[in-house]
Amino acid sequence: MNHIYYPLSYKHSVNRWLVTDTFEEQKSFKPITMDFTGDLNRWLTDGFAIFENPNRKVFIDAEKKEKKEKKEKINLTDVYPGKSLTVGSTTNEWNLNFPWNNKKIEKSGFWQKPTLLKTWAVTNIRSTKLQKASFKLFTCGNVVLWINGEKALQFSPYTRNEEKSIQFEVTLQEGNNEFLVLFEDLAERDALYYFQLDYLGHDELEIVLPIGDADPNEIHLLEEALKNAYFPSDVVKSGDINLIFESPLMQEFNMECTLKTVWWGEKREFIRSVTPGSKSVVLGKAEDIGMANALLKLSIRYHSVVIQKDIFIQVYPESLVPANIPESILERKQQALSLIADYGNNNMHRAYALAKTGRQLELVESIVRDTLHVINERFDCSDFYFNQLFRFWIDFRNSQLFDDSFWEECKQAILNYRYWFDEPGDDVMWYFSENHALLFHTCEYLAGQLFPNERFSNANVLGEVHAEKAKSRLVHWFEKYNRELLAEWNSSYYIPINLMGFLALYDLVNDVELKNQAKKALDDTFRLMAINSYNGYLSCSQGRIYEKDLKGNYNNATTSLLWIAYGKGNLNNSTYAAVSLCVSDYQPPNYDAYMSLEPEESIIFKNHQGPENFVDLYTFKNSYGLLSSAVEYRPGHTGYSEHVIHSIVSPEGVIWINHPGEEAELGTGRPSFWAGNGILPKVDQYQDLAIVHYNINPLNDIAYTHAYFPIAAFEQTEITNNWIFGKIGDSYVALYAKNGIEQQTKGQNQNREFISRGRENIWIIRNSNVLQFADFSQFKESVLKAELIETSEEFKFTDPIHGMVQSSWQGPFIVDGEVQLNRNQKIEGVIEKWSLSRN
């Protein structure tokens, strides 16, 4: 039996374990209703607990009663009877965990039904002497720990997606000490499912794990190879998708690849052979992979050990899209519908596009039946697809495309659905956000309108009652929207969800009031997108964002929507709202004045979104770039998925700063490594200049901030002192960190990530262009010569164009002697527009 060894020192996590697959058991509860009044968006700032599913309490009460029965003593044979502790030794495999900077032993994911999860993990901790040792345990669910067969701890917070911790002390024997963990939780849709064990002792320990006949040195080499593997760019638009090995291996191996479109795409699996000494491997051609913001899972099997790592890539094969952009919106709609029919993901929206264009009717029927299963099972986000079923029914029910039994299945799905949380159910559908609420109410109204005299089984009411209730709810939704716009402001992912609801109401409902409200909301949304986009790419401060949307401009749904509406951006295969827009007679207002700026023109847009002075937004753009921020948004507070500072000078030339919510590069946290902020900064912005202050709580584990600055996207870059400069065409950008900048030179973030250490820090982002500075060299020289002064009270920067800029954590923001007041703007906002002149 061979073993592999890892050091364990003070304040480091015990993150090397053998871990089983997760045992899953769907749980059924008594269907019950939920009762809630107030702001549905409160969970964004107050956490998930305020909307706790009542059935979760039933589950927790039962678990608390059962936990007394957890064994005080246990052997590994109690876990897998008759099986020895060897990685990969049985069909119930123990898998060696490779952390990739993740301190947690994590099995987080997404479950469409309430599901009980149970997972075992085991490790050995070697001590050179008999001693007391302190540890700290973190989890959301339930953790039971046995040490050397004796129960040492049971910790059962069962706080959904909200981490809790406990510190404890144990006795370590001289030699190996077996740590056996059972961790459990009830998964409800997105579930953070993990435990983390931190060592707080001061003596050096060692983690020891059995690995069968595998050579530990080879495992270390393979791990290092995948750790340092990277793509030259986060975007591939043609030709080979080439994975580079910083640490090539001297033996041949097969790499199993699973490509998944994040979040809802179909999986694609393939195997690539890597020859000895290879420094790269071609995973495929962009044209074969298709359009995708994709999560790529790489796996190498060595004896019984599987080494697996995730990596992100955006694939946008330009050859799939016609080169010429039609001038007419009607022609752009036709072109988009055709492309989605050919290349869209297999969801209800593509099924409609296929039926509308008369293609692959067998595939249409298959997709619709899969959608009916999702609806009947009440999967979370079923409302994202359900709304399109009504358009499908209205347009094709009286055609001869499908038989009566097919349509009866569609009808029964509509009649049996749970349309709101005040109806009985034991599902985990998420009702508590503005986008879901809109779609649930829209579906309820359309269902009642379609079948007014039919009885709906779940609520036990006639359709006309559903329509009445839905109208009241929609009127209230629009009243709130007209007062506040969106708590999930400018969200590239969630705006298309809202647009699906608006378009369904505008096109399909008979009620004139609702039609008019939907029309106004459509106009408002396209106005927001037009103002906050750069050349058709919605790339700005956003209330909820994911890494794939930050990096994936070519494939974002808003990109395609802006292309259809205005011929800017690019066409892609995104289905959300795009299919509905293509077949609707709705045409967005002419916002060319915001979309197409002359070289000398610049605009500033200040507006407010959300309830009770929730967020004040500032966007500056011209034909050379866009800089956008959430001004002074909850500085010092714990963040979620808010994106508060963003610069763009090209679809790939995007820059932002954040405090990581976790150190796992492609983890499941909200906030995550790149999306959101663990601790929110204070942002001050004036035109094309932003100053970002971080003051990170000492209790937060991550004592640095970092910037995404993709070197490969720029024609020229230069790193000088604490500054990074970039140039694309006539657009320039500069990035500064007071505490210095470290360029990441290893792994998937190399030449993209720039790290600045320290809890208190100040960053500057400065967009510029050829009208302000004659050339890139003059821009760099002028910025580098600019005076920087820091005192205990404030930070001063003498900008070459704007003069003295004074900013601090608590004080006012002053530019050239004038206090900048960027608060409490109206939701419609204030737009300033003027001409630039050369410096």
Side-chain angles (χ1 to χ4, degrees):
M1 172 72 69
N2 292 331
H3 292 81
I4 194 165
Y5 301 86
Y6 299 96
L8 180 62
S9 56
Y10 174 60
K11 282 196 173 179
H12 280 70
S13 296
V14 186
N15 58 6
R16 301 287 185 165
W17 299 70
L18 299 182
V19 186
T20 66
D21 291 335
T22 299
F23 168 78
E24 300 184 9
E25 179 188 359
Q26 285 193 359
K27 304 292 286 186
S28 296
F29 299 96
K30 178 183 177 181
I32 56 177
T33 62
M34 294 179 69
D35 184 24
F36 177 81
T37 57
D39 186 0
L40 292 178
N41 295 307
R42 263 182 52 211
W43 63 277
L44 287 168
T45 52
D46 296 351
F48 288 96
I50 60 172
F51 297 120
E52 186 167 83
N53 188 335
N55 278 323
R56 185 174 181 84
K57 185 177 185 305
V58 173
F59 166 80
I60 292 171
D61 289 345
E63 285 294 300
K64 285 180 177 178
K65 183 177 180 181
E66 182 188 337
K67 85 174 184 179
K68 298 177 182 178
E69 303 171 11
K70 300 290 184 186
K71 294 183 179 181
E72 296 298 318
K73 296 186 177 183
I74 196 167
N75 293 308
L76 280 172
T77 52
D78 296 324
V79 181
Y80 287 141
K83 306 298 182 184
S84 62
L85 177 58
T86 306
V87 61
S89 62
T90 73
T91 54
N92 297 315
E93 290 188 341
W94 294 94
N95 298 301
L96 184 58
N97 178 69
F98 293 91
W100 314 117
N101 296 329
N102 194 346
K103 297 178 179 180
K104 308 177 183 77
I105 304 304
E106 185 162 17
K107 295 280 190 172
S108 301
F110 205 102
W111 286 265
Q112 298 286 9
K113 297 287 240 180
T115 305
L116 175 62
L117 310 176
K118 293 187 178 184
T119 311
W120 292 90
V122 65
T123 194
N124 290 294
I125 296 180
R126 177 172 290 177
S127 173
T128 58
K129 62 184 179 182
L130 177 68
Q131 63 172 306
K132 296 281 189 182
S134 293
F135 292 86
K136 192 171 186 179
L137 178 75
F138 305 80
T139 192
C140 302
N142 173 58
V143 174
V144 189
L145 168 66
W146 294 267
I147 298 178
N148 297 324
E150 299 283 341
K151 188 175 178 181
L153 176 73
Q154 178 152 356
F155 183 51
S156 309
Y158 279 118
T159 46
R160 179 176 181 260
N161 290 355
E162 183 181 354
E163 182 180 271
K164 299 293 182 181
S165 63
I166 186 172
Q167 190 169 325
F168 62 99
E169 187 178 67
V170 299
T171 299
L172 297 181
Q173 304 296 324
E174 181 180 354
N176 286 354
N177 294 266
E178 179 190 273
F179 279 52
L180 178 64
V181 164
L182 170 66
F183 61 110
E184 308 168 287
D185 205 353
L186 180 71
E188 301 171 278
R189 67 189 295 270
D190 60 316
L192 295 179
Y193 175 54
Y194 62 83
F195 76 91
Q196 177 181 328
L197 185 64
D198 287 357
Y199 172 54
L200 302 182
H202 291 279
D203 288 348
E204 296 292 318
L205 303 176
E206 196 170 39
I207 300 172
V208 184
L209 291 168
I211 53 173
D213 58 355
D215 182 346
N217 293 323
E218 290 296 331
I219 292 176
H220 286 308
L221 289 172
L222 285 167
E223 181 178 4
E224 191 70 9
L226 278 187
K227 177 183 177 181
N228 293 327
Y230 69 97
F231 292 115
S233 169
D234 283 330
V235 181
V236 179
K237 294 190 287 185
S238 64
D240 292 339
I241 300 173
N242 209 12
L243 182 70
I244 309 298
F245 292 108
E246 188 81 16
S247 310
L249 298 177
M250 301 315 295
Q251 62 172 291
E252 184 172 358
F253 62 89
N254 287 331
M255 187 163 63
E256 301 170 11
C257 308
T258 303
L259 187 139
K260 182 181 179 184
T261 305
V262 186
W263 293 84
W264 298 98
E266 303 103 20
K267 290 181 179 179
R268 197 175 312 164
E269 297 178 344
F270 50 94
I271 295 175
R272 295 292 179 263
S273 178
V274 182
T275 57
S278 294
K279 292 189 175 182
S280 65
V281 61
V282 175
L283 301 181
K285 290 191 175 297
E287 294 75 12
D288 297 328
I289 297 295
M291 298 175 183
N293 291 341
L295 189 67
L296 186 64
K297 191 177 294 295
L298 308 174
S299 301
I300 299 173
R301 183 176 292 273
Y302 170 68
H303 291 264
S304 56
V305 176
V306 177
I307 306 171
Q308 192 173 83
K309 189 175 191 298
D310 292 342
I311 190 167
F312 171 86
I313 187 69
Q314 178 185 193
V315 185
Y316 181 74
E318 292 178 305
S319 61
L320 299 184
V321 182
N324 295 325
I325 302 175
E327 292 186 11
S328 161
I329 187 174
L330 295 179
E331 291 179 278
R332 293 195 297 272
K333 285 182 175 184
Q334 291 171 2
Q335 194 174 107
L337 192 68
S338 179
L339 184 129
I340 291 168
D342 287 337
Y343 302 114
N345 287 330
N346 283 337
N347 59 38
M348 187 68 214
H349 304 281
R350 186 192 180 198
Y352 180 93
L354 286 167
K356 192 71 174 177
T357 55
R359 311 179 197 185
Q360 302 185 62
L361 294 183
E362 289 185 4
L363 177 59
V364 172
E365 186 168 347
S366 173
I367 294 173
V368 174
R369 290 188 188 279
D370 288 343
T371 304
L372 294 178
H373 173 74
V374 166
I375 293 168
N376 290 330
E377 290 295 314
R378 299 178 187 173
F379 283 0
D380 185 58
C381 296
S382 56
D383 50 314
F384 289 5
Y385 309 100
F386 194 15
N387 74 95
Q388 195 69 9
L389 181 66
F390 293 100
R391 190 183 296 270
F392 186 83
W393 177 286
I394 291 167
D395 286 359
F396 302 121
R397 174 62 185 94
N398 295 323
S399 70
Q400 302 301 312
L401 297 179
F402 309 103
D403 62 29
D404 287 344
S405 64
F406 170 84
W407 292 112
E408 183 60 26
E409 289 181 49
C410 294
K411 179 180 178 180
Q412 291 305 313
I414 293 170
L415 294 180
N416 296 326
Y417 195 61
R418 185 189 189 191
Y419 286 96
W420 199 233
F421 55 73
D422 61 355
E423 296 181 27
D426 69 340
D427 54 81
V428 294
M429 292 192 294
W430 188 250
Y431 302 91
F432 306 103
S433 60
E434 54 205 5
N435 60 81
H436 281 292
L438 173 65
L439 288 189
F440 276 112
H441 302 339
T442 299
C443 290
E444 183 179 23
Y445 187 91
L446 291 171
Q449 176 181 275
L450 203 58
F451 302 111
N453 300 315
E454 298 274 0
R455 184 159 294 276
F456 285 66
S457 60
N458 197 61
N460 193 28
V461 298
L462 294 178
E464 61 184 8
V465 176
H466 264 312
E468 290 171 6
K469 289 166 63 178
K471 178 170 181 182
S472 175
R473 288 165 174 165
L474 284 166
V475 167
H476 175 73
W477 192 98
F478 280 114
E479 286 174 351
K480 181 177 173 61
Y481 172 83
N482 291 328
R483 267 194 327 269
E484 303 171 358
L485 279 184
L486 301 170
E488 301 165 332
W489 69 87
N490 301 340
S491 175
S492 187
Y493 186 81
Y494 290 102
I495 277 178
I497 307 300
N498 288 337
L499 287 174
M500 288 194 296
F502 299 153
L503 286 163
L505 292 170
Y506 177 78
D507 290 334
L508 305 179
V509 304
N510 297 328
D511 188 278
V512 174
E513 180 185 1
L514 293 180
K515 274 184 176 292
N516 290 337
Q517 289 285 6
K519 171 66 164 58
K520 179 182 181 299
L522 284 164
D523 292 349
D524 290 345
T525 304
F526 275 96
R527 178 177 180 267
L528 279 177
M529 287 199 294
I531 295 171
N532 287 294
S533 63
Y534 176 66
N535 290 340
Y537 300 96
L538 184 64
S539 200
C540 58
S541 171
Q542 303 188 32
R544 281 184 73 194
I545 196 67
Y546 304 102
E547 180 177 336
K548 66 183 179 67
D549 305 300
L550 286 170
K551 295 180 177 178
N553 270 331
Y554 291 115
N555 288 317
N556 285 343
T558 49
T559 300
S560 192
L561 291 167
L562 286 166
W563 184 91
I564 295 168
Y566 303 110
K568 297 287 187 178
N570 59 263
L571 177 59
N572 60 45
N573 66 342
S574 297
T575 61
Y576 285 172
V579 171
S580 296
L581 180 61
C582 287
V583 298
S584 174
D585 63 3
Y586 172 77
Q587 293 197 22
N590 184 345
Y591 292 132
D592 285 346
Y594 306 140
M595 294 289 296
S596 302
L597 299 177
E598 296 297 324
E600 297 80 12
E601 288 183 319
S602 288
I603 63 173
I604 292 175
F605 178 56
K606 303 177 187 178
N607 85 310
H608 162 84
Q609 294 192 45
E612 299 176 3
N613 300 321
F614 189 66
V615 62
D616 291 295
L617 302 168
Y618 190 115
T619 293
F620 172 90
K621 78 171 179 178
N622 50 37
S623 62
Y624 302 100
L626 180 150
L627 183 63
S628 175
S629 65
V631 177
E632 299 186 25
Y633 175 73
R634 304 179 70 233
H637 285 75
T638 300
Y640 185 64
S641 298
E642 311 96 329
H643 187 63
V644 295
I645 180 67
H646 193 93
S647 168
I648 176 173
V649 292
S650 81
E652 299 168 44
V654 293
I655 299 167
W656 69 85
I657 305 158
N658 78 310
H659 174 236
E662 60 183 348
E663 291 188 277
E665 291 172 331
L666 284 164
T668 57
R670 300 182 188 180
S672 67
F673 185 74
W674 279 126
N677 281 269
I679 301 295
L680 285 158
K682 180 199 177 193
V683 184
D684 289 327
Q685 183 176 346
Y686 178 77
Q687 296 186 21
D688 46 16
L689 169 70
I691 299 181
V692 184
H693 297 260
Y694 276 99
N695 192 350
I696 300 167
N697 189 314
L699 298 177
N700 191 287
D701 284 345
I702 301 177
Y704 69 89
T705 49
H706 64 171
Y708 181 80
F709 192 118
I711 295 294
F714 290 83
E715 297 167 8
Q716 290 180 241
T717 58
E718 183 177 312
I719 303 172
T720 303
N721 300 327
N722 293 12
W723 290 91
I724 313 169
F725 297 92
K727 173 188 183 295
I728 298 178
D730 290 331
S731 302
Y732 315 140
V733 65
L735 181 71
Y736 167 89
K738 176 179 74 72
N739 295 349
I741 290 176
E742 302 170 23
Q743 183 175 357
Q744 178 60 261
T745 58
K746 296 288 186 181
Q748 62 184 306
N749 286 313
Q750 69 169 277
N751 302 326
R752 301 153 171 79
E753 181 187 18
F754 290 84
I755 301 163
S756 190
R757 308 287 174 181
R759 296 182 180 276
E760 294 185 11
N761 206 349
I762 299 170
W763 292 78
I764 299 173
I765 295 182
R766 177 66 158 92
N767 280 18
S768 191
N769 57 75
V770 72
L771 288 184
Q772 287 188 335
F773 300 92
D775 55 33
F776 186 46
S777 295
Q778 189 192 72
F779 171 62
K780 289 184 295 183
E781 291 169 7
S782 299
V783 170
L784 288 170
K785 289 178 182 176
E787 186 178 35
L788 285 166
I789 301 173
E790 183 194 2
T791 69
S792 59
E793 299 297 324
E794 63 182 350
F795 179 77
K796 297 180 180 180
F797 172 61
T798 305
D799 185 86
I801 301 294
H802 305 306
M804 176 65 75
V805 178
Q806 299 165 258
S807 178
S808 64
W809 179 255
Q810 291 183 322
F813 180 43
I814 303 172
V815 179
D816 198 24
E818 184 176 345
V819 175
Q820 303 301 304
L821 300 176
N822 295 324
R823 297 178 180 174
N824 304 324
Q825 307 295 334
K826 296 179 180 179
I827 61 167
E828 64 271 19
V830 176
I831 295 180
E832 303 171 16
K833 191 170 184 178
W834 72 95
S835 294
L836 286 168
S837 59
R838 186 185 299 277
N839 182 34

